[in-house]
Amino acid sequence: MDTLEAPRTILRTSSRICVLTGAGVSAESGIPTFRGPGGLWRNFRPEALATPAAFARDPILVWEWYQWRREIIAAAQPNAGHFALKELEARAAAFTLITQNVDGLHQRAGSRNVLEIHGSIWTVRCTVCGKQQANHDVPLPALPPRCACGGLLRPGVVWFGEGLDTQVWHNAEKAVRAAELLLVAGTSAVVYPAASLVPLAKSSGAQVVEINLDETPISDAVDFSLRGASGQILTELLQ
Ligand code: OAD
């Protein structure tokens, strides 16, 4: 495990910064992660809740699960890690926050240039007319929710077996290629293509700093691997 000193200097001297976040960054806000202790995928089967086939089979069951998650997220507040990243954006000349999180907490903390590569739990998309729109109703008045056209609405998130939005992903890769520093916080780095941003950053010449409670598959490949809670480490990094 590395100390904070060198990453702090890199942070201060980098003008083009990218950040990749995962569920761990929202854990201190009380939002469950996916794979850790108490993680969602320990208690639920992804193929029953987060695939197009699951939704086709039982849209109400899937919506009940998303409704439950929307309730948790709506009651949660951004934490010190979210606020530190907002502060980092204000200091950097160029800053892109790439998040796998669908909770919208980065934006609630004030981050502006956020790429939600796995979509947003606060958007819905019509399975018939394709229209995508914001929806912040908690609870939703009826399950499953329907579009004005009568079609079934689905959560505006990326499910297993689905591709990422090509424009959002293109922008993420472009930002990483141009970055001097990639900060990777609170992700197990096992889900692709998100995790591929780490080798992309390395091959583009960026320094990569990881922040995580535990070791991950990228820990040995990054320049600095910092162990601890993202709220604390991110705050200390900015001091
Ligand atoms: P995971 O649940 O896979 O990993 C969370 C990571 O955060 C783990 O490596 C933990 O050690 C770490 N962690 C937990 N609490 C932390 C804290 N307070 N500070 C720092 N680190 C902490 O979540 P993701 O990597 O985000 O995809 O998962 C990636 C994708 O898998 C998600 O976006 C979701 C899921 O299936 C989709 O829904 C498409």
Side-chain angles (χ1 to χ4, degrees), residues 22-24 27-28 33-36 41 100-101 118 158 160 186-189 191 212-214 216 228-230:
E28 289 154 75
T33 63
F34 292 94
R35 296 176 180 79
W41 298 149
Q100 298 165 87
N101 300 345
H118 290 168
V158 177
F160 288 95
T187 177
S188 57
V191 170
N212 201 300
L213 284 180
D214 297 317
T216 75
S230 53

Side-chain angles (χ1 to χ4, degrees), residues 81-104:
H82 297 108
F83 289 116
L85 292 174
K86 179 228 165 188
E87 173 65 27
L88 188 57
E89 179 167 19
R91 294 187 194 180
F95 180 92
T96 306
L97 205 176
I98 303 160
T99 188
Q100 298 165 87
N101 300 345
V102 298
D103 56 35

Side-chain angles (χ1 to χ4, degrees), residues 88-189:
L88 188 57
E89 179 167 19
R91 294 187 194 180
F95 180 92
T96 306
L97 205 176
I98 303 160
T99 188
Q100 298 165 87
N101 300 345
V102 298
D103 56 35
L105 286 184
H106 286 303
Q107 294 91 328
R108 277 173 59 194
S111 288
R112 300 172 68 118
N113 194 21
V114 182
L115 297 174
E116 295 179 304
I117 58 174
H118 290 168
S120 167
I121 203 162
W122 302 114
T123 64
V124 292
R125 187 164 75 245
C126 181
T127 54
V128 176
C129 73
K131 187 178 169 200
Q132 179 139 324
Q133 56 194 304
N135 179 311
H136 290 268
D137 296 346
V138 177
L140 286 152
L143 292 186
R146 297 215 167 253
C147 180
C149 81
L152 190 61
L153 289 171
R154 58 161 282 177
V157 300
V158 177
W159 281 330
F160 288 95
E162 292 185 319
L164 274 48
D165 180 290
T166 45
Q167 189 58 53
V168 174
W169 180 247
H170 171 78
N171 291 343
E173 286 192 316
K174 194 172 156 201
V176 168
R177 274 198 201 98
E180 293 160 76
L181 164 66
L182 175 68
L183 264 183
V184 184
T187 177
S188 57

Side-chain angles (χ1 to χ4, degrees), residues 23 27 31-46 65 68-69:
I31 300 173
T33 63
F34 292 94
R35 296 176 180 79
L40 295 171
W41 298 149
R42 298 266 176 112
N43 299 308
F44 301 99
R45 286 186 315 122
W65 192 64
W68 170 70
R69 290 179 57 200

Side-chain angles (χ1 to χ4, degrees), residues 1-5 7-8 11 28 79-81 84-85 183-186 209-213 224-239:
M1 144 142 155
D2 297 299
T3 62
L4 289 177
E5 221 170 330
R8 220 181 243 146
L11 215 72
E28 289 154 75
N79 65 56
L85 292 174
L183 264 183
V184 184
V209 176
E210 176 184 51
I211 299 166
N212 201 300
L213 284 180
F224 299 93
S225 191
L226 306 175
R227 287 285 178 282
S230 53
Q232 185 190 339
I233 304 264
L234 282 166
T235 306
E236 287 180 8
L237 263 184
L238 262 73
Q239 276 161 8

